[in-house]
Amino acid sequence: MGATTAAAAAGAGLITENSPASQANNIKPVKLPRTSISPPVIVLDTGLKPWKVVAGSFCIILPTYGLLSSIGLFQTYWMGHQLGSSFTESEMSWIISMFGFLVCFFAAPSGILFDRYGHEWLLGISTAVYVGAFVGLSFCSTYGQFMVCLIVAGVSAAPPATVAFAVVSQWFKVKEGIATGCVTLGAAVGGILFSMVLQILFDKLPWKWAIIALSGIILGFMTLGNVLVETNMSLHGRRRDHSPPSSNHEEEKPNEELTISVMLKSMRFWLVSISIFAYELVLFIQWGSIPTYAAHTAFADKQFYLMMSYNIGAILGRTLPPWLSDRFLGPLNTIILMNMFTLLVVLGVWLPFGASTVQGLFVAIVLMGIGTGSFVPLGVSCVSAMCEPRDTGTWLGSVYTIVSFATLIGNPATGAILAAYGSNGLLVFLAIALLVGLMSIAALRWVSQGKRMLLRDKI
């Protein structure tokens, strides 16, 4: 029977353990079970389909997280038009904070639904609601109306954003880091794109038609993402080595309650959650504090150029460190390295030079873009390395539900620290958050190596 199976596989052009294709191309094959009917062979990292999924995920992240990184321009517009005479800047910032909070907070149920049912209906329904929320926003003129529409937008953005990150691990193993980095580029590219688009729309059009035009752009990217993203259904019931399920199908059948229970009891889950919470807190404070910090240091006229510089640095941070992770170090080692790099930038460049010279501030902002930009793709890779591919949505969504509270407190914390301790106090707070992230990610590495610290391991 085994010979018959191997012969049939060879005749069908499938990649088996000893086939010339697997040896020549260094592709990790899947062992075929000794049955007359072989399951589909999974070859990850290669071919058009995995990169098609990456392109689709990029198109989803661009109008969700990319728009989130530039949506502060809404607040600037409201200050000069609909809300400026009735509400303070701090009060308006809660609208933006709620949007970012809900995108992350509803990641856990979104991830569970994705693991259970796949992407099709989840992406379709949430895309329709997300675009509809911005169409509704175009007709708004009061604080309450703006808040309701962006709450709906935040909730409906959670499923597509979670799917876009989680689906990558179903198609990649060796190149998962760089693939995730390409997806997260959508946030940096979207930040640059929407910053320019919103400035042009607000200058040329009234609020209603500017936001309707924005809704059309969002619809175009989200539709393309829906078409290109695809769930790898052949991974259902497979282990992290991608071997097929055993003959006992009840043993291999995913159990959501058991998965969540095991996850919540895992020390690795809580350590990676604390680390990413610290990194996202730094990231969201970074997004929100650059204009305010510039104003506190007499560089207020450089706000737009500072944000552009940050996003340029973030593009490098979302590609080079993930490539380094795949090729040489592994995600845990790389994120520890980038954590230390970012901490050195805060204490060695930004703190002593950022407030005194515009050149020093620009150098610090670009380097911070590289450092904090790497946290998103490397963080996603670290989470997916802790669980089975079939559970990635649940783990990733649950981590980002915890992280959502960092997005909620980021803007208010920035304002409070700047008011009480000034710009240097904010930088000290960022350094403390990075130290917490470094300690927890180092502890995760220690636990993942069987409570040993083997420095030469790729992990």
Side-chain angles (χ1 to χ4, degrees):
M1 183 68 72
T4 303
T5 302
L14 301 179
I15 298 174
T16 57
E17 186 174 20
N18 297 313
S19 68
S22 68
Q23 295 173 359
N25 297 292
N26 195 28
I27 298 174
K28 186 173 182 178
V30 175
K31 294 182 180 180
L32 298 176
R34 296 182 179 277
T35 60
S36 57
I37 301 176
S38 301
V41 174
I42 301 172
V43 179
L44 305 180
D45 299 280
T46 59
L48 178 63
K49 187 173 287 187
W51 292 105
K52 174 181 75 73
V53 172
V54 168
S57 296
F58 173 91
C59 290
I60 290 172
I61 293 301
L62 192 146
T64 50
Y65 277 102
L67 181 58
L68 175 61
S69 68
S70 58
I71 205 170
L73 291 173
F74 281 17
Q75 183 175 327
T76 303
Y77 187 91
W78 295 335
M79 281 290 292
H81 296 81
Q82 297 99 325
L83 305 180
S85 61
S86 304
F87 297 91
T88 66
E89 188 174 352
S90 176
E91 290 170 329
M92 282 185 278
S93 71
W94 280 104
I95 303 176
I96 307 302
S97 294
M98 284 300 297
F99 176 63
F101 167 69
L102 293 170
V103 172
C104 296
F105 184 78
F106 281 92
S110 300
I112 293 169
L113 289 172
F114 170 65
D115 286 344
R116 181 68 177 86
Y117 299 107
H119 75 284
E120 289 94 344
W121 69 270
L122 190 60
L123 277 184
I125 294 174
S126 58
T127 294
V129 176
Y130 186 60
V131 174
F134 280 94
V135 173
L137 187 68
S138 69
F139 295 93
C140 295
S141 59
T142 67
Y143 185 95
Q145 291 170 346
F146 290 136
M147 178 68 84
V148 169
C149 283
L150 285 181
I151 284 176
V152 174
V155 174
S156 58
T162 304
V163 169
F165 285 128
V167 74
V168 173
S169 67
Q170 295 186 349
W171 294 99
F172 291 89
K173 186 174 183 180
V174 176
K175 300 176 182 177
E176 183 180 348
I178 190 63
T180 304
C182 290
V183 171
T184 61
L185 272 178
V189 174
I192 296 172
L193 173 66
F194 285 113
S195 293
M196 294 188 293
V197 166
L198 288 173
Q199 284 204 338
I200 294 171
L201 290 176
F202 289 155
D203 286 342
K204 303 290 186 181
L205 298 172
W207 170 261
K208 177 181 176 180
W209 293 108
I211 301 304
I212 287 177
L214 176 67
S215 302
I217 297 171
I218 293 171
L219 176 62
F221 279 110
M222 294 296 287
T223 300
L224 191 57
N226 274 257
V227 171
L228 294 176
V229 165
E230 182 177 345
T231 303
N232 191 345
M233 298 305 295
S234 58
L235 284 182
H236 184 75
R238 291 179 183 264
R239 296 181 289 270
R240 171 149 289 280
D241 62 0
H242 305 293
S243 57
S246 66
S247 58
N248 186 351
H249 296 289
E250 290 301 316
E251 261 183 37
E252 298 286 347
K253 184 179 179 180
N255 183 314
E256 286 80 8
E257 292 183 2
L258 180 60
T259 297
I260 294 171
S261 176
V262 171
M263 176 188 70
L264 293 177
K265 293 177 182 177
S266 170
M267 178 63 70
R268 293 184 300 171
F269 170 77
W270 291 107
L271 287 172
V272 76
S273 296
I274 293 170
S275 302
I276 296 179
F277 182 95
Y279 298 147
E280 292 290 335
L281 181 60
V282 171
L283 180 60
F284 275 89
I285 287 178
Q286 179 81 13
W287 276 349
S289 69
I290 290 176
T292 310
Y293 180 90
H296 275 71
T297 54
F299 300 132
D301 58 329
K302 307 294 184 183
Q303 293 179 28
F304 176 76
Y305 301 103
L306 286 169
M307 289 302 300
M308 291 288 288
S309 300
Y310 174 78
N311 282 311
I312 291 170
I315 290 175
L316 297 174
R318 293 171 195 268
T319 51
L320 294 180
W323 174 82
L324 188 66
S325 167
D326 289 340
R327 192 70 182 270
F328 300 109
L329 298 178
L332 282 176
N333 289 334
T334 309
I335 203 168
I336 288 172
L337 182 65
M338 296 310 297
N339 188 325
M340 292 189 292
F341 169 80
T342 309
L343 183 60
L344 287 173
V345 171
V346 171
L347 297 178
V349 181
W350 198 354
L351 187 61
F353 303 113
S356 56
T357 66
V358 68
Q359 295 89 346
L361 182 57
F362 270 98
V363 169
I365 293 301
V366 171
L367 294 177
M368 286 296 291
I370 296 173
T372 59
S374 71
F375 291 156
V376 178
L378 293 175
V380 172
S381 295
C382 287
V383 173
S384 65
M386 298 295 112
C387 62
E388 302 293 335
R390 66 190 181 201
D391 300 327
T392 301
T394 301
W395 272 67
L396 191 61
S398 299
V399 167
Y400 271 87
T401 292
I402 295 170
V403 167
S404 66
F405 292 96
T407 71
L408 184 64
I409 67 176
N411 277 342
T414 299
I417 294 170
L418 283 172
Y421 303 103
S423 57
N424 285 346
L426 181 64
L427 298 183
V428 171
F429 180 79
L430 291 178
I432 292 172
L434 288 167
L435 279 172
V436 171
L438 181 60
M439 289 187 291
S440 55
I441 202 69
L444 176 62
R445 188 184 189 279
W446 180 68
V447 170
S448 299
Q449 289 186 304
K451 298 185 178 180
R452 297 175 298 168
M453 192 61 76
L454 305 177
L455 298 180
R456 295 185 178 181
D457 280 10
K458 178 180 178 181
I459 182 171

